[in-house]
Each structure stands twice: as structure tokens, then as C-alpha cells.
Amino acid sequence: MEAITEIEIPAQTFRAKIADYVQLIKLRLSLLVVFSAAMAYLWASNRHVDALTIWLLSIGGFFITASSNIFNQVMEKKSDKLMKRTALRPLPDSRMKTGEAVLLGILLGITGLFLLLKINFLSFVLGFTAMLIYIAVYTPMKKLSSLTVIPGAVAGSLPVVIGWVAAKGEITHEALILFLIQFIWQFPHTWSIAWLLNDEYKKASIKMLPTRDKGNTSAMLILLSTFLIIPSGFLLYTYESAGIHVMWMLALAGIITFFFALRFYKLRTDKSAVGLMLSCFVYLPIVLIILVTEKFL
């Protein structure tokens, strides 16, 4: 019996440590960022896919995103203790020392940037810029102003540009349009989550909604930002970067998302906010899949 116990304890400890690291790097968010960058690369590559490049992009992008998330949690350790949603994260719950998290963040960040540099210098610069904005601007600004959504949207939209640059080696109008689509998408995506977590954010003095309370102004701004998703999809056709059938599919995806925003505006309930949040989660992958599918069919 004692032998079994000696074997089980280390195994449980190992699993718990892995679970803490998964929380620390925000695994699902990191994977979504990698997906966006990889899909942008595939669209730009136009069937000329280099296995080494997409590997460097995916691993490097994952590492710098994970690093950014780690430093975000290090800086927000005290705030996370105040919110039920984040209180059990490894740092505020004291399951992990800050020094350990910082060391991991540094190692992942340096390694990720090195991998992007192996692709080309511009990918490295864009990756470093995204990290810098997320850690040094977006994170501290969350307690100062609701305008933090802007640098957050910039940092969150650069991965598609990095993916494009990894394939093309330069920033073209297609990369800028991809950036714009994801930049606009960030607002209803972020604000719908902020609506749901507003009471929690208030406890930690975090300002994420466009206004302090869940009122008419915030709901209207969320509605308007969602509406802007629709015309942004037309730009790819306007600049001859996608066919008319793709344009209409992107427009349809935008209209469906806007329908959820309109429903949210009318009801202003947490349930309708969840609907908008989920529609935003679906919208971006659908857009990227549509663009890549057109190139490969």
C-alpha cells in the first residue's frame, strides 16, 4: 500500500503542475492566436506551403502569446485575487511562485521571438511589437481607462499580419485588411465578455466596458462595433483580394453576428450577451476558413 502511495503522489503532483501551466499560458487563447496566424499564412502562401516556416510560425507564435499571457497574470496577480473567476489561478492562489512564472515567461518569449526571427526579421519585429503592446500598454491600462480595448485590439490583430508576412516577407494591403477585420472584431468580442464580467471587473477596478455601467451607451457601442464587421469584409473584394462569392459569405457571417448584437441590444441580458460572445468566437475562424478554402479549392 505504501509503495502505491509513493507512486501516485508524484503523478498527481505532475498533473497538477501541468494544469497550472495550462492556466498560466491561457492555452485556449494561445491556440486561437496560433490558428489565426497559421490561417493567414496559408491564405498568403497560395498553396505554396513551406512546412518549416509554418512550424516556426506556429511554435514561435504560441510561445510569444504564452509569454505575454504569463506576464499579464504576473502583473495582475493582486487583481486576480479579487475576482472569483481568476482567484484560483496558480499565482493568486499561491500554488506557483512569481519568480517561476517570470522565468518561464522570459524563456518562452525569447524562444518564440528567436523562432520568428528564423522566418524573417519583419516577423520578429511584429511579434516583439505585439508582446510589448500587450504587456506594457494593454495590461496596465486596464485599470486606467476603458480605451485599453484599443491597444488590446492592436496586439490581438497583429498575429494575422505576422502570418501573412511569414509567407510574403512584406506587409501588403491584404495583410492590412486582415488586420482591420480582426481589429474591428475585437471590440464586440471584448465588450460582450466585459458585459458579462462587469461586476467582477469592478471589484478589481478594471475598466473594460466602454462605460462604467451596463447601460444604454455601452449596449449601443457594442451594437455599432458589431455592425462595422459587415462592411469590413467587403474590402477584400474591393481590392481584388477575394472573389465575389467569398465577399457574400463574409457578409453573411457578419450579418449573422450582427443579428446576435441586435438581439443583445434589445434585451440587454447576460444570456443575450453570451449569444453575442459565442457568435464572435465562431465568426473569426469561419472567415479565415472561408478565405483559405477559396485558395485551396
Side-chain angles (χ1 to χ4, degrees):
M1 183 63 72
E2 290 180 0
I4 294 175
T5 303
E6 289 175 359
I7 294 173
E8 287 181 347
I9 291 176
Q12 291 171 355
T13 302
F14 177 76
R15 286 195 294 269
K17 177 61 72 174
I18 293 300
D20 283 345
Y21 283 143
V22 166
Q23 279 189 291
L24 190 67
I25 67 174
K26 298 181 182 178
L27 180 62
R28 286 181 293 182
L29 175 59
S30 297
L31 290 176
L32 178 60
V33 171
V34 170
F35 174 80
S36 298
M39 293 299 280
Y41 170 84
L42 291 174
W43 187 50
S45 68
N46 199 18
R47 299 187 184 187
H48 297 94
V49 178
D50 180 73
L52 177 60
T53 300
I54 198 167
W55 182 86
L56 291 171
L57 173 67
S58 299
I59 303 301
F62 180 83
F63 280 1
I64 66 169
T65 304
S67 175
S68 299
N69 289 331
I70 289 172
F71 283 110
N72 170 268
Q73 290 189 56
V74 168
M75 296 169 69
E76 295 186 337
K77 178 180 176 180
K78 291 182 179 178
S79 298
D80 284 347
K81 281 186 178 181
L82 302 175
M83 297 184 288
K84 183 178 179 180
R85 182 179 67 94
T86 56
L88 293 180
R89 283 175 175 175
L91 289 175
D93 195 43
S94 299
R95 298 195 309 275
M96 183 183 297
K97 293 182 179 180
T98 301
E100 179 184 350
V102 170
L103 179 60
L104 180 61
I106 292 173
L107 290 175
L108 289 176
I110 292 175
T111 305
L113 290 172
F114 174 76
L115 293 176
L116 292 184
L117 183 60
K118 296 291 288 184
I119 300 174
N120 54 54
F121 183 69
L122 187 52
S123 293
F124 163 82
V125 170
L126 291 170
F128 180 75
T129 301
M131 287 185 68
L132 187 64
I133 293 173
Y134 191 84
I135 297 169
V137 182
Y138 166 72
T139 298
M141 195 174 173
K142 287 165 73 173
K143 288 207 168 191
L144 302 175
S145 171
S146 60
L147 292 177
T148 188
V149 69
I150 297 174
V154 171
S157 302
L158 281 175
V160 291
V161 183
I162 297 171
W164 182 275
V165 167
K168 296 293 188 181
E170 61 179 349
I171 299 175
T172 64
H173 67 271
E174 290 95 343
L176 293 176
I177 293 171
L178 277 180
F179 175 87
L180 180 63
I181 290 173
Q182 187 152 344
F183 179 80
I184 293 172
W185 168 85
Q186 294 276 352
F187 287 83
H189 164 71
T190 301
W191 284 340
S192 59
I193 296 173
W195 181 280
L196 291 166
L197 300 176
N198 190 52
D199 292 338
E200 287 278 277
Y201 283 149
K202 279 185 177 180
K203 294 177 185 177
S205 300
I206 292 175
K207 302 173 181 178
M208 292 300 293
L209 269 182
T211 59
R212 179 168 175 76
D213 298 310
K214 301 196 299 188
N216 181 65
T217 303
S218 284
M220 176 59 73
L221 288 172
I222 293 172
L223 179 67
L224 291 175
S225 65
T226 311
F227 174 77
L228 292 176
I229 287 176
I230 302 172
S232 68
F234 285 83
L235 290 173
L236 290 172
Y237 176 73
T238 302
Y239 286 90
E240 299 180 349
S241 302
I244 191 169
H245 56 292
V246 169
M247 179 193 75
W248 286 116
M249 283 191 284
L250 296 187
L252 178 60
I255 290 169
I256 293 172
T257 305
F258 179 70
F259 167 79
F260 282 95
L262 188 61
R263 182 173 179 272
F264 159 75
Y265 179 74
K266 290 179 177 178
L267 300 177
R268 298 180 203 175
T269 61
D270 284 356
K271 184 177 180 180
S272 61
V274 170
L276 175 57
M277 179 189 70
L278 293 177
S279 69
C280 286
F281 279 144
V282 172
Y283 171 81
L284 189 62
I286 289 295
V287 166
L288 294 171
I289 290 170
I290 289 171
L291 291 175
V292 171
T293 301
E294 181 200 27
K295 292 288 186 180
F296 282 80
L297 289 182

